[in-house]
Amino acid sequence: MMKFPHRSAAFQLLTAVAAVGLASCATGRASRGQLSPKDWANAKIRAMPAFQVRAQGLDEAGVANLSAKLARDGMPKLSDKQLLRRTQLQAMMFEKADVDTCGNIARGTPAAGDADRLVGTVSEDSQQDYYAILAAAVSTELGVTPPAVSALPTIEKTSEAMNHLIDQLPPGDRPIFASNLAGIAKLPNDLACKTIRKLYGLVLASEGETQGVTARALTMQ
């Protein structure tokens, strides 16, 4: 059985898209009145009294980074339904993105504008869903909304679920994929992109507890 540590380098890198876009400029057509999906999410977050307390004294860059950190930290505490939707949206983004954007983000080394380009590959309705989940994660981390889970998956449970994913592959492909996932930070963009697309595809093709645990694991660092 292959071992996949709960907080492995691969999982840390995959969280690069957990809060993609909140710390950069807004893109997309107008929605929610004159606001883009991202601006709507930012406005919702900044209107939270608990966020305003945490943001006191921060400049604009600091406020944006705080939003992104709260989204990352709160994401694993959301419901299975929310995290499955997030996984579906990110899978679509990676499939539609160009190889360089996809690979940069998969390796954890996004270039300027990559986050916006990734999210911008999907429809405005999908962007709205995506940013609504990010706002929900911030709300949960701030204690405004109760967490949907009382405990996160253990190392053993995560490792078991990841092995169930790997078992979906042909036997000869399993060690190659596992090696690429563990070393994704050092892969060229085309292979890093192929690896993360495969990972998200495996998660979406899985069922039950395996899907729930791996979708949650994708948010952890």
Side-chain angles (χ1 to χ4, degrees):
M1 176 179 284
M2 302 171 190
K3 294 296 184 182
F4 293 89
H6 187 51
R7 295 178 182 272
S8 68
F11 283 137
Q12 291 182 37
L13 291 165
L14 294 174
T15 60
V17 291
V20 105
L22 278 182
S24 58
C25 296
T27 60
R29 296 174 301 166
S31 79
R32 298 282 176 148
Q34 296 301 312
L35 297 179
S36 71
K38 185 194 297 180
D39 281 347
W40 168 83
N42 275 322
K44 184 178 179 68
I45 290 167
R46 296 181 188 209
M48 298 176 189
F51 181 84
Q52 294 170 4
V53 171
R54 296 279 294 272
Q56 281 184 346
L58 298 179
D59 59 17
E60 185 61 28
V63 171
N65 288 334
L66 174 63
S67 297
K69 182 181 187 305
L70 291 169
R72 284 193 301 270
D73 292 347
M75 195 70 66
K77 303 169 186 176
L78 298 182
S79 68
D80 285 349
K81 181 178 179 180
Q82 288 170 307
L83 294 184
L84 177 57
R85 179 57 176 155
R86 171 183 174 271
T87 302
Q88 292 169 336
L89 291 167
Q90 288 186 331
M92 287 192 292
M93 292 174 190
F94 283 123
E95 285 295 332
K96 292 175 177 288
D98 64 87
V99 169
D100 285 339
T101 298
C102 173
N104 285 341
I105 292 178
R107 290 189 295 106
T109 56
D114 277 348
D116 285 336
R117 279 189 286 273
L118 185 74
V119 179
T121 59
V122 296
S123 70
E124 186 174 309
D125 286 345
S126 292
Q127 291 180 41
Q128 186 70 49
D129 286 352
Y130 185 72
Y131 286 117
I133 293 170
L134 294 182
V138 173
S139 178
T140 298
E141 185 61 18
L142 288 171
V144 178
T145 306
V149 293
S150 58
L152 300 180
T154 63
I155 296 173
E156 292 75 19
K157 183 66 70 175
T158 302
S159 182
E160 179 183 355
M162 284 299 298
N163 277 290
H164 286 163
L165 286 189
I166 300 296
D167 287 344
Q168 297 179 53
L169 297 171
D173 293 346
R174 295 171 191 171
I176 297 172
F177 176 75
S179 176
N180 286 341
L181 182 59
I184 197 169
K186 298 181 180 180
L187 296 179
N189 277 346
D190 58 345
L191 189 51
C193 184
K194 181 179 179 180
T195 300
I196 201 166
R197 285 172 175 171
K198 174 62 71 175
L199 174 63
Y200 274 78
L202 290 172
V203 173
L204 294 179
S206 64
E207 298 178 343
E209 186 178 35
T210 294
Q211 186 178 73
V213 170
T214 52
R216 197 170 301 280
L218 290 176
T219 73
M220 295 178 189
Q221 56 180 334

